[in-house]
Amino acid sequence: MTYTRGIMEPIKVGLLGFGTVGSGTFNVLHRNQEEISRRAGRGIKITQIAVRNPVKARQVLIDLPDTVELTSDFTAVVDNPSLEIIAEMIGGTDIARELVLRAIYSGKHIVTANKALLAIHGTEIFEAARSKGVIVAFEAAVAGGIPIIKVLRESLTANRIQYIAGIINGTTNFILSEMCERGLDFATALADAQRLGYAEADPAFDIEGIDAAHKATIMAAIAFGVPVQFERAYVEGITQLHAIDIRYAEELGYRIKLLGIVRRTTRGIELRVHPTLIPVKRLIANVEGAMNAVLVYGDAVGATLYYGQGAGAEPTASAVIADLVDITRLCMVNPSNRVPHLAFQPDRLESTPILPIDEVTSSYYLRLRVANQIGVLSDITRILATLGVSIDTLLQKKSEFFDEGRVSETIIILITRETLEKNINLVISRIEALSTVRSSVTRLRMEALN
Ligand code: NDP
Ligand code: HSE
């Protein structure tokens, strides 16, 4: 039997927001429209763009075709009956949520790059979309240009996924690389990331680990078939990270990365973001700048690694447009035959608990300053032994604190074997109570990823 496809009108898209991602999407779609429509089977046209200041946007977009209308009326775009897709490129969880829900209830498909929105309001949004039979596509929400959502939802569908560990925030990886390789200070590196369009509108979301936790939350839901539960994620950013620990980690053969980790265990799911020491010989430890990388371990496939630009206008546009093409191809398909939003059938999501950080198992890097006197080390090792925590490496470094020409304090670095976080908390509080210990204990988690 031969199938023929009639000539179809282009599918019309309304764009909400015209910043880094919105303008990148417009430009790439415009530049590659011929190639994209050959793939989609139909043209894809942005016909209306909502911006707060159309005059300013018009000045930037000198080549904007007359067929594209700029308006400051966001609801008029959402309500426009000639549009089939609304691409939400505003960000945040207030106006974006209102507009996305309104668009869904008026029967429009959604493309969004907004991980905050989905990590926090995903359950409500996916339920609304299901009730209206529309698609909510969000490839750009996790790891920018890397098609990790497609991988987790479709390509690895045969697998029971065991864990995902990812460098999923370009801004913080860029900052860590610039500090490490070029010796830049934190503030300068952050300002560069903002200038290059990597950072969130409020960069605290990046540096405090919140953005990575939004993304990890979405990946956990898709990987394990559980609802999005951002409120249960453990989140620690890079603002408390000391340059000295980056240096000591390197000396010990490790690199520090802000990792998003989701792992299936017999007791529940780990969902956490924090600076992590990774052996420098792992590929993922060598991902620098704004690049992202996501390591996914499936029981059948084993370890797989996905690498690419995690932020920026055109890499993100690449993911947004992939979603536009998917919707163009799939909008005529019966909704029950589409890939479910969170990969698992909505009535088959499970309520596996997300483990509190106290119940997470890890190995640890501990750094502290102690008096340079006999017996200190044995006091510390006794505490560890009493609590059943094994030491893998113990290193003593010269401290810069001098007492009448003699070194009076020493820096101790300990690397432990795996133990529960609540055990290491006890270890730390007992060590800090020793009279010979002269500083609080700096603790960093470690992942072997082997
Ligand atoms: P920008 O700040 O560059 O652009 C946001 C756009 O939305 C601007 O046009 C802005 O208008 C408009 N906007 C912001 N707030 C409002 C509001 N309250 N009402 C109406 N319009 C508003 O952000 P990005 O393009 O970087 O990010 C957009 C989304 O994409 C976010 O969800 C972000 O997390 C996500 N994302 C970003 C990536 C990146 O590399 N930048 C990568 C992946 C995802 P105005 O110009 O007037 O301020
Ligand atoms: N601010 C985000 C980052 C943008 O730096 O990764 C991409 O999601």
Side-chain angles (χ1 to χ4, degrees):
M1 196 188 298
T2 339
Y3 291 94
T4 50
R5 185 185 273 275
I7 301 208
M8 293 177 83
E9 281 286 301
I11 195 163
K12 290 184 182 146
V13 182
L15 203 57
L16 308 178
F18 205 68
T20 305
V21 181
S23 60
T25 299
F26 185 87
N27 290 336
V28 175
L29 194 55
H30 190 63
R31 188 171 76 229
N32 295 343
Q33 57 183 312
E34 177 56 27
E35 196 90 345
I36 291 166
S37 71
R38 280 173 59 212
R39 291 195 172 107
R42 199 175 161 188
I44 300 175
K45 288 246 176 300
I46 293 172
T47 57
Q48 228 182 358
I49 305 176
V51 283
R52 282 196 281 211
N53 186 339
V55 176
K56 191 178 101 188
R58 179 71 66 185
Q59 280 161 358
V60 178
L61 278 170
I62 2 171
D63 294 334
L64 191 70
D66 294 338
T67 46
V68 182
E69 185 201 340
L70 279 173
T71 172
S72 57
D73 189 345
F74 285 68
T75 47
V77 175
V78 166
D79 295 344
N80 181 342
S82 77
L83 303 176
E84 284 183 64
I85 307 176
I86 294 295
E88 182 275 309
M89 305 288 137
I90 300 170
T93 50
D94 300 332
I95 180 172
R97 173 179 162 274
E98 274 171 41
L99 293 169
V100 162
L101 286 172
R102 186 174 176 125
I104 289 172
Y105 285 121
S106 74
K108 298 191 170 68
H109 302 288
I110 304 292
V111 175
T112 180
N114 191 337
K115 50 271 170 166
L117 179 69
L118 297 180
I120 294 168
H121 298 296
T123 302
E124 179 187 25
I125 288 170
F126 295 130
E127 182 47 40
R130 199 158 70 92
S131 73
K132 294 297 292 182
V134 298
I135 301 169
V136 175
F138 50 94
E139 184 61 70
V142 182
I146 305 175
I148 192 67
I149 299 297
K150 187 78 135 189
V151 163
L152 293 173
R153 284 201 332 166
E154 299 181 40
S155 316
L156 296 183
T157 202
N159 288 264
R160 200 170 148 81
I161 291 172
Q162 305 295 353
Y163 74 82
I164 304 174
I167 295 172
I168 46 178
N169 181 269
T171 301
T172 43
N173 205 51
F174 177 83
I175 293 172
L176 291 177
S177 294
E178 294 290 281
M179 287 172 72
C180 221
E181 287 174 6
R182 295 180 53 211
L184 288 191
D185 63 88
F186 190 99
T188 310
L190 172 59
D192 283 353
Q194 289 179 285
R195 187 175 44 75
L196 292 164
Y198 305 148
E200 294 302 299
D202 176 358
F205 278 73
D206 296 291
I207 60 179
E208 298 294 358
I210 302 162
D211 176 74
H214 288 148
K215 294 165 179 166
T217 298
I218 295 170
M219 289 200 294
I222 298 175
F224 305 131
V226 296
V228 285
Q229 299 166 77
F230 171 68
E231 68 287 357
R232 304 237 163 102
Y234 175 78
V235 192
E236 198 180 301
I238 62 166
T239 49
Q240 305 302 317
L241 191 60
H242 299 279
I244 187 119
D245 294 310
I246 299 179
R247 214 175 70 212
Y248 287 154
E250 293 279 333
E251 279 179 33
L252 290 161
Y254 295 90
R255 189 146 299 151
I256 301 182
K257 295 289 181 190
L258 185 72
L259 276 195
I261 299 168
V262 305
R263 180 177 278 124
R264 191 199 291 273
T265 76
T266 48
R267 292 169 301 121
I269 290 168
E270 295 178 8
L271 170 54
R272 52 193 170 109
V273 169
H274 49 71
T276 312
L277 275 79
I278 312 168
V280 82
K281 60 186 176 209
R282 301 273 175 267
L283 279 174
I284 198 168
N286 295 283
V287 171
E288 302 296 351
M291 302 305 279
N292 280 194
V294 187
L295 175 62
V296 184
Y297 193 96
D299 66 342
V301 73
T304 58
L305 182 65
Y306 309 88
Y307 171 80
Q309 296 192 61
E314 295 212 352
T316 311
S318 165
V320 170
I321 295 167
D323 280 344
L324 292 174
V325 171
D326 263 359
I327 293 176
T328 306
R329 288 172 175 151
L330 293 172
C331 60
M332 310 299 267
V333 171
N334 183 323
S336 58
N337 292 336
R338 295 184 192 136
V339 182
H341 291 115
L342 291 178
F344 290 73
Q345 297 300 332
D347 58 346
R348 303 292 300 275
L349 295 187
E350 287 178 354
S351 55
T352 321
I354 307 287
L355 292 173
I357 191 69
D358 268 5
E359 296 297 330
V360 163
T361 302
S362 176
S363 46
Y364 294 87
Y365 161 104
L366 306 177
R367 172 176 59 82
L368 59 150
R369 209 153 28 84
V370 298
N372 195 8
Q373 63 189 55
I374 292 166
V376 177
L377 277 185
S378 59
D379 287 345
I380 293 172
T381 49
R382 196 173 313 116
I383 290 173
L384 283 139
T386 309
L387 292 166
V389 178
S390 308
I391 300 174
D392 193 59
T393 309
L394 194 152
L395 208 69
Q396 199 169 339
K397 309 282 288 181
K398 248 200 217 152
S399 166
E400 59 276 26
F401 291 86
F402 289 89
D403 175 15
E404 292 170 1
R406 291 175 52 234
V407 178
S408 66
E409 289 182 356
T410 298
I411 294 171
I412 303 288
I413 294 156
L414 281 165
I415 290 183
T416 75
R417 297 251 166 90
E418 284 200 338
T419 186
L420 275 178
E421 177 106 356
K422 63 182 170 199
N423 288 346
I424 218 70
N425 288 341
L426 267 179
V427 164
I428 289 173
S429 62
R430 290 196 192 169
I431 288 179
E432 286 178 345
L434 292 173
S435 62
T436 46
V437 171
R438 300 285 161 79
S439 71
S440 54
V441 175
T442 296
R443 164 243 314 267
L444 291 166
R445 299 172 190 87
M446 309 177 71
E447 286 290 323
L449 301 180
N450 51 3

